[in-house]
Amino acid sequence: MTDVHKVLIIGSGPAGYTAAIYSARADLAPTLIAGREPGGQLMLTSDVENWPGEPDGVLGPDLMEKLKKQALRFGTEFLQDMVTEVDFSSQPFTVKTADKEFKSETVIISTGAVAIWLGIPGEERLQGKGVSACATCDGFFFRDKKVVVIGGGDSAMEEATFLTKFASEVIILVRRDELRASKIMQKRAMDNEKITILWNTNALEILGEEKVEGVRVKNNKTGEEQTLEVDGYFAAIGHKPNTEIFKGQLELDDKGYIKHAPDSTKTNIEGVFASGDVMDPLYRQAVTAAGTGCMAALEAERYLASKE
Ligand code: NDP
């Protein structure tokens, strides 16, 4: 008979590691299945200057290494593997990797989300060198610079408006001749004199060797191409939560985020909790992910206590 774990955590971003730190310190001996490339989205960033307690900033990968070390220090069992299948239909829950099967009384899901990219040349190569999908994280580095923002939804309007705090000019590239964003967010962006919108415009390529130096764009109505000389490129066309393996097992919203009870990490299955970007389409910050990771661990602990 396989051992039944008390707490099994899937994912190794700030949410997963924080859930591990809290549940390990509550003597619940958590097992954390980290994915193939542990550390989550912060592994793709350079300087993180908004993590409290790091007044001089910290490199994303260094921060994740510290969180991992802290989780291991209290006895988290760490496994660098991908979960391929889950079964939440009966207790204890089943979680499978390619060659292992785990049973657990509670599961904390912290599998995160990924930014959706256009997939154009230069986007991957210049990530962290002027290419970003998070204005809150990286806007500060564009003081008095020119940037483009891609997208016409609320994220694009919010990111563009936020970027005007720093940038001298923000150009929003919208692929249609109208915005998807809510009226109030549209108005806020359009009333901002630092923001220009280029309609019916697609980005074709990001230029620059060591850093972003420009973006080649095309008007999809006239076919006219031009190069915008900018220092930054922000993709704001949406995020995709990593919930493929939970389809049919948990209630997801129409965008695929895990549904949870208000002010709680409880999912529709008792004993299964969700924390971090996989359940949060709004804030998407390392510190809020860590916060919900802590909540999930406390709620799992209370759930286990209530069963005894
Ligand atoms: P959305 O899906 O709402 O919008 C995505 C935008 O990106 C659309 O304008 C879409 O264009 C455009 N887009 C998609 N693919 C491409 C592409 N390949 N090339 C060019 N443009 C593309 O995503 P958001 O992240 O903006 O918002 C997600 C959810 O979060 C929404 O419900 C939103 O209301 C909410 N939100 C709320 C905020 C707030 O209230 N403060 C802030 C941010 C988000 P098209 O319209 O042509 O499809």
Side-chain angles (χ1 to χ4, degrees), residues 117-118 150-156 158 173-176 178-181 185 201-202 236-239 255 281-282 284:
W117 298 95
L118 288 184
I150 318 294
D154 281 338
S155 291
E158 192 171 65
L173 306 184
V174 179
R175 66 175 170 184
R176 293 187 292 140
E178 61 177 328
L179 299 170
R180 181 183 292 274
M185 307 276 279
T201 301
N202 292 94
I237 60 171
H239 284 76
K255 292 252 163 68
L282 267 188
R284 295 195 295 252

Side-chain angles (χ1 to χ4, degrees), residues 22-247:
Y22 272 79
S23 45
R25 294 189 77 257
D27 229 6
L28 296 171
T31 293
L32 183 147
I33 306 181
R36 212 166 279 130
E37 290 168 16
Q41 294 178 86
L42 281 187
M43 299 302 281
L44 303 175
T45 62
S46 48
D47 293 302
V48 179
E49 294 187 331
N50 55 11
W51 180 263
E54 293 280 358
D56 302 320
V58 56
L59 291 173
D62 291 353
L63 174 61
M64 297 322 296
E65 195 49 44
K66 285 184 183 183
L67 286 175
K68 177 179 172 185
K69 201 169 156 197
Q70 196 172 352
L72 296 187
R73 178 180 157 208
F74 299 109
T76 301
E77 193 184 325
F78 180 89
L79 196 80
Q80 188 165 339
D81 209 343
M82 284 298 279
V83 171
T84 52
E85 203 182 323
V86 297
D87 182 355
F88 297 151
S89 61
S90 59
Q91 268 282 7
F93 305 124
T94 305
V95 173
K96 291 182 185 171
T97 63
D99 55 6
K100 290 198 182 73
E101 182 175 304
F102 300 84
K103 297 277 181 194
S104 186
E105 287 179 64
T106 68
V107 173
I108 297 176
I109 299 170
S110 317
T111 48
V114 287
I116 303 173
W117 298 95
L118 288 184
I120 58 173
E123 218 177 29
E124 203 177 325
R125 183 169 51 84
L126 292 164
Q127 253 181 56
K129 298 173 184 161
V131 169
S132 169
C134 178
T136 314
C137 318
D138 299 324
F140 191 76
F141 303 115
F142 294 88
R143 192 174 290 284
D144 300 325
K145 303 224 156 108
K146 263 172 91 167
V147 300
V148 292
V149 173
I150 318 294
D154 281 338
S155 291
M157 299 306 113
E158 192 171 65
E159 303 258 304
T161 305
F162 179 80
L163 284 165
T164 60
K165 285 179 194 287
F166 309 102
S168 55
E169 189 180 344
V170 179
I171 304 167
I172 307 179
L173 306 184
V174 179
R175 66 175 170 184
R176 293 187 292 140
D177 58 5
E178 61 177 328
L179 299 170
R180 181 183 292 274
S182 55
K183 287 282 175 280
I184 184 164
M185 307 276 279
Q186 291 193 21
K187 185 168 183 325
R188 201 169 294 152
M190 285 173 159
D191 286 351
N192 191 315
E193 57 186 24
K194 282 190 179 177
I195 296 180
T196 315
I197 299 183
L198 291 186
W199 303 100
N200 302 306
T201 301
N202 292 94
L204 300 179
E205 183 183 4
I206 306 170
L207 308 169
E209 287 304 318
E210 296 303 313
K211 60 183 180 59
V212 172
E213 287 169 7
V215 178
R216 203 157 59 79
V217 302
K218 180 176 181 177
N219 183 305
N220 57 38
K221 281 270 174 3
T222 64
E224 188 192 332
E225 289 190 20
Q226 60 169 318
T227 297
L228 306 173
E229 284 180 18
V230 293
D231 312 282
Y233 168 102
F234 286 81
I237 60 171
H239 284 76
K240 190 174 174 304
N242 297 317
T243 50
E244 209 51 44
I245 52 171
F246 307 114
K247 280 186 184 156

